[in-house]
Amino acid sequence: MNTLSLAFRNIFRNARRSIMTMMAVGVGALAILMFGGFVSAIVLSFQTFIVQNTGHLHVYKRGYFDFGAGNPSAYGIADYAKVMQAIADDPVLKPMVAVATPSLTLFGIAGNFAANTSKTFFGTGLVPSDRERMRRWNAYGLQGLTWRESAMHDDDRDGGVIGLGLARMLSLCATLNVANCPTPPAAETSDKPVDQDIAALAAAEAPQDNGADPRPRIDLLAATAGGAPNVVNLRVARAENQGIKELDDAYVAMHLDLAQRLVFGRGERKVTALILQLHRSGDLKAAQARLETIFRDRGLDLEVRDFSQLTPMYPQVIGMFGTIFGFIAVIMGVIVLFTIANTMSMSVMERINEIGTLRALGQRRSGVRRQFLAEGFLLGLFGATLGVVAAILAAQAMNHSGLSWTPPGNSAPVPLTILLFQSRLLVPAAWICLTVLATLSTLFPANKAARMVVVDALRHV
Amino acid sequence: MTDSVRNEGPVVRLDQVVKEYHMGTIVVPAVAGVSLTLQAARFSVIVGPSGSGKTTLLNLIGCIDGATRGTVEVCGTDIATLNDDRLSDFRARHIGFIFQNFNLIPVLSAIENVEYPLLLAGIAKRERRARAMALLDAVGLADQARRRPNEMSGGQRQRVAIARALVAEPDLVLADEPTANLDSRTGAAIIELMHAMQARARTSFVFSTHDPAVMEHADSIFAIRDGLLVESREIGGRA
Ligand SMILES: Nc1ncnc2c1ncn2[C@@H]1O[C@H](COP(=O)(O)OP(=O)(O)OP(=O)(O)O)[C@@H](O)[C@H]1O
Ligand SMILES: [Mg+2]
């Protein structure tokens, strides 16, 4: 018989009311946890998607990030092989880095001269096997991620992938087996002959063993570092949805070698970025600091940017969901506060005579206060525990329900999951906060009970 | 100190005590200037018609209410000098209460109700149990120890309340019309029991009643009317 066991008995005096109160707290906990777990899953699947596609850190020549996007040759990293070697050899970076790969971003015009169509493109030259490894990153162990076998290979130096929109505009839908692809109205098809010089240039580039490769060929035109126009042929292996229309309408991924041939011709070959993917996102700051140290020590004029700078939507998404989460948590907190305060006030009013008796027997004001606080605490504790258990069950059910959603910028749906324990803080924090809140909500009724005038309380019937 | 107070000198001394209630602008003098002395180890009765101020007087003696004027001294302590916490501790140590409506704690069993004052006194569980059981036995309820109040009759409840009032060995037990909610035969048995327990514990008992039959047990009788002491009678030479 101590304060807690007495409190336990008292809350079950009016079992129905107490159970309703605990359920209200439980529903509050459930809502907070389910939404928190959902936000956890959203943030992590979004982060996973970003890290798979763009890595954690990008190394640029200083100024490229702010000014260089339009001028890959001026802001290129010339001796990138040496930089990569330095990264690979560094004892600090070595255990952190999963993939380090060069990348060349470029712009130009893509033409399908067979169909007399052309379109500006935004291209990336990459190392296919490195990108393939990057796409398998799943540090958070997310379930149900799907990989499509890459259409590009290291030894296929002319191969590449284009966006669905670009395929449509270049009239490649049929050849690339693109579904749901409208045919353009007749008037829009250009019948103007393509510039003769470019056509000639393209013809000169065209490989001779044409018939062996069934993949459609497009021509990519760009200005070289020296300013002269240059053309290369790209064998389009596949059209892939890029998620964002502007990107989808212009996207070309090609072998790094092909991109370098296009931009640098026979000149010195550079890249615009070195992309680093780490094993764990938690190492990001340490890796960035180490890279900066290495570059400073070696006098390299390079800068490092992290993925949230490259994808500003990422911090925005986190901020947005954080705000919604805070909003929901506050609403649930207010509901819990009023429910507990109401229940405990009723309990105090029903027990006025008992309070008078306890005080007459020699119970101090603080003892009365402690007794009621203990009851609020237990209501909160049981309710929050109920909510945690319910949330775990509901999350299990949800995670096995097969529901899916498509994150912003993603081209494929991902499973809808509730990650309750991904953030180690979520469940304990919700559990403790609601219990503490329930206890604090009892302060007002408990103080009212403690301050009662003994004789008035005893006279009360 | 407890023992010295118990056997010699007055346990309660009231000097010109006034208790006024304010009902709007009207002042109701529930106790209108009472001076009295209760000797230790006595069985005292306060009698008077309804509204005469019995309850108010007992509340003042029981240190759960403060006098408007005058001095209330219990066990040699002027209770006006104690703050609320000290007063609570003082009640726990020196005073036991028996109420008209029994006022047992409904979530506690009979034995736990009896233990409660010992819990307030900070006594260890094993000793609490033993002392509570001894008192339940003394009031004839050893076999009802596990019952909750709502499973017991009025007479049984009042016996539990008597055990609770005595368990911490107070100097003074106050009972405000303890038989008013009992039939006359049970009431008589309760008075009998209180008298026996008082004799055994050598504690001072004070109770209020309308019932003239109760008075035959009393060592001293105080009659009040309209908040004033109208008669004070010593019966036996027990002190
Ligand atoms: N809290 C209060 N506020 C105002 N007046 C009060 C209060 N308590 C008691 N009184 C008044 O004080 C007077 C004495 O009341 P008290 O309860 O002490 O009488 P009593 O002798 O115990 O009566 P009863 O035999 O009916 O219990 C009565 O006139 C009552 O109306
Ligand atoms: Mg009365």
Side-chain angles (χ1 to χ4, degrees):
Chain A
M1 188 177 60
N2 53 34
T3 306
L4 274 183
S5 75
L6 253 174
F8 183 82
R9 293 188 204 181
N10 276 322
I11 61 176
F12 287 105
R13 256 159 106 160
N14 193 332
R16 196 186 138 89
R17 184 175 68 205
S18 292
I19 286 168
M20 294 304 283
T21 306
M22 289 189 253
M23 277 169 68
V25 179
V27 167
L30 179 71
I32 290 173
L33 290 175
M34 289 302 274
F35 191 71
F38 178 59
V39 170
S40 248
I42 287 175
V43 168
L44 291 184
S45 64
F46 192 30
Q47 191 196 106
T48 299
F49 170 72
I50 292 170
V51 169
Q52 285 176 347
N53 287 285
T54 65
H56 286 99
L57 294 167
H58 283 203
V59 175
Y60 300 120
K61 183 160 178 154
R62 192 170 302 282
Y64 175 83
F65 185 80
D66 293 321
F67 311 107
N71 193 354
S73 43
Y75 287 97
I77 306 170
D79 43 2
Y80 66 91
K82 257 192 273 171
V83 180
M84 285 183 62
Q85 196 58 49
I87 292 170
D89 290 344
D90 186 78
V92 177
L93 286 174
K94 201 171 183 165
M96 296 182 188
V97 176
V99 179
T101 185
S103 154
L104 175 60
T105 304
L106 66 156
F107 300 89
I109 295 170
N112 176 8
F113 295 111
N116 254 343
T117 50
S118 65
K119 166 77 178 65
T120 54
F121 76 91
F122 167 77
T124 306
L126 47 83
V127 178
S129 60
D130 287 348
R131 293 308 182 108
E132 188 60 12
R133 274 196 291 142
M134 279 173 65
R135 256 192 295 279
R136 301 201 174 258
W137 190 88
N138 190 10
Y140 299 113
L142 302 184
Q143 303 288 307
L145 298 180
T146 49
W147 291 282
R148 203 170 165 190
E149 195 58 46
S150 171
M152 295 170 65
H153 303 283
D154 284 1
D155 49 8
D156 174 21
R157 292 175 171 258
D158 297 325
V161 168
I162 64 175
L164 278 186
L166 186 60
R168 188 169 62 240
M169 291 179 204
L170 294 179
S171 308
L172 287 169
C173 284
T175 7
L176 291 171
N177 295 320
V178 177
N180 304 323
C181 188
T183 45
E188 298 240 335
T189 320
S190 161
D191 49 8
K192 207 176 101 220
V194 178
D195 189 296
Q196 288 308 307
D197 290 347
I198 297 170
L201 215 56
E205 269 289 316
Q208 300 311 306
D209 55 342
N210 217 343
D213 199 331
R215 300 177 297 183
R217 199 195 79 191
I218 62 171
D219 302 297
L220 302 178
L221 167 73
T224 63
N230 193 13
V231 171
V232 293
N233 298 131
L234 177 77
R235 290 289 179 178
V236 182
R238 192 155 71 200
E240 289 175 357
N241 184 2
Q242 300 304 312
I244 301 164
K245 177 166 164 54
E246 285 76 5
L247 189 61
D248 205 36
D249 289 351
Y251 182 73
V252 177
M254 68 194 90
H255 197 289
L256 178 64
D257 182 64
L258 186 69
Q260 287 177 327
R261 264 187 276 149
L262 178 55
V263 177
F264 302 108
R266 274 176 279 276
E268 186 192 12
R269 293 189 162 195
K270 304 178 184 178
V271 295
T272 48
L274 296 179
I275 297 175
L276 267 67
Q277 188 185 59
L278 307 175
H279 291 294
R280 300 186 322 110
S281 299
D283 290 335
L284 193 137
K285 286 278 166 268
Q288 179 164 12
R290 183 64 189 171
L291 283 170
E292 277 158 1
T293 310
I294 293 173
F295 299 156
R296 201 172 46 243
D297 290 352
R298 299 187 177 224
L300 295 168
D301 193 25
L302 301 172
E303 63 180 359
V304 186
R305 299 283 174 162
D306 68 29
F307 69 86
S308 60
Q309 290 174 298
L310 296 160
T311 314
M313 200 154 86
Y314 178 71
Q316 286 168 355
V317 163
I318 291 183
M320 180 181 78
F321 279 112
T323 308
I324 300 175
F325 177 76
F327 188 71
I328 288 180
V330 166
I331 289 179
M332 292 301 148
V334 169
I335 290 174
V336 165
L337 191 142
F338 279 106
T339 309
I340 297 272
N342 179 53
T343 297
M344 290 309 299
S345 289
M346 284 164 78
S347 187
V348 167
M349 295 316 285
E350 289 164 1
R351 282 151 64 191
I352 291 177
N353 208 265
E354 187 180 319
I355 294 163
T357 305
L358 294 178
R359 296 280 285 121
L361 295 184
Q363 182 68 273
R364 290 185 177 192
R365 287 188 198 280
S366 55
V368 171
R369 184 184 300 113
R370 192 179 336 113
Q371 189 59 52
F372 282 96
L373 285 177
E375 291 171 32
F377 166 76
L378 282 189
L379 283 176
L381 181 73
F382 292 156
T385 307
L386 203 74
V388 167
V389 172
I392 290 172
L393 295 179
Q396 285 288 326
M398 195 80 142
N399 293 348
H400 291 101
S401 66
L403 295 173
S404 64
W405 71 294
T406 305
N410 208 349
S411 52
V414 299
L416 180 65
T417 45
I418 307 287
L419 298 179
L420 287 182
F421 297 101
Q422 194 67 53
S423 151
R424 253 169 293 164
L425 230 55
L426 178 64
V427 173
W431 189 63
I432 290 170
C433 284
L434 283 177
T435 306
V436 169
L437 181 67
T439 313
L440 293 181
S441 312
T442 314
L443 266 178
F444 178 72
N447 277 333
K448 200 163 111 180
R451 278 199 303 266
M452 275 177 190
V453 176
V454 182
V455 286
D456 292 347
L458 279 172
R459 245 180 238 275
H460 189 90
V461 278
Chain B
M1 178 197 171
T2 302
D3 285 326
S4 66
V5 169
R6 185 162 296 175
N7 291 312
E8 57 196 70
V11 69
V12 175
R13 187 154 43 206
L14 303 188
D15 183 24
Q16 286 304 315
V17 170
V18 175
K19 178 69 189 181
E20 288 168 351
Y21 289 106
H22 295 263
M23 312 257 302
T25 53
I26 307 164
V27 176
V28 183
V31 172
V34 171
S35 300
L36 62 79
T37 301
L38 295 178
Q39 294 303 326
R42 290 271 184 135
F43 203 71
S44 308
V45 179
I46 297 173
V47 291
S50 186
S52 57
K54 302 185 294 294
T55 299
T56 308
L57 193 59
L58 280 177
N59 288 346
L60 292 168
I61 295 170
C63 310
I64 52 178
D65 205 355
T68 311
R69 282 186 294 280
T71 313
V72 178
E73 208 178 281
V74 181
C75 300
T77 305
D78 179 357
I79 67 163
T81 62
L82 302 177
N83 67 18
D84 195 84
D85 280 352
R86 305 283 298 278
L87 208 52
S88 301
D89 298 347
F90 185 83
R91 289 196 296 269
R93 184 149 358 107
H94 295 288
I95 303 171
F97 285 92
I98 297 166
F99 301 93
Q100 181 178 339
N101 294 315
F102 324 130
N103 290 21
L104 299 179
I105 308 302
V107 295
L108 299 181
S109 65
I111 187 149
E112 288 168 333
N113 264 289
V114 179
E115 271 183 63
Y116 198 88
L118 299 177
L119 187 77
L120 292 178
I123 288 165
K125 188 183 172 80
R126 189 182 292 267
E127 192 191 336
R128 276 199 327 247
R129 264 294 129 113
R131 284 172 65 176
M133 201 60 213
L135 265 153
L136 267 188
D137 196 33
V139 299
L141 287 177
D143 54 338
Q144 308 283 321
R146 303 256 149 237
R147 295 256 176 126
R148 293 274 178 101
N150 63 358
E151 299 164 337
M152 291 188 283
S153 70
Q156 287 175 323
R157 290 185 213 183
Q158 200 60 303
R159 285 161 187 264
V160 174
I162 291 168
R164 178 176 70 179
L166 284 165
V167 73
E169 298 176 350
D171 299 298
L172 178 64
V173 174
L174 304 176
D176 189 10
E177 304 195 40
T179 58
N181 278 357
L182 300 171
D183 62 72
S184 56
R185 195 188 314 184
T186 313
I190 289 293
I191 296 293
E192 201 79 59
L193 176 68
M194 291 208 298
H195 200 185
M197 297 296 288
Q198 186 268 338
R200 203 178 90 146
R202 310 241 348 114
T203 300
S204 296
F205 258 69
V206 183
F207 63 97
S208 68
T209 186
H210 305 278
D211 183 1
V214 171
M215 294 173 223
E216 62 198 46
H217 291 285
D219 301 323
S220 29
I221 296 173
F222 300 93
I224 62 168
R225 177 166 292 140
D226 296 331
L228 288 167
L229 192 62
V230 292
E231 192 189 344
S232 167
R233 191 152 34 110
E234 297 284 316
I235 293 173
R238 290 174 62 102

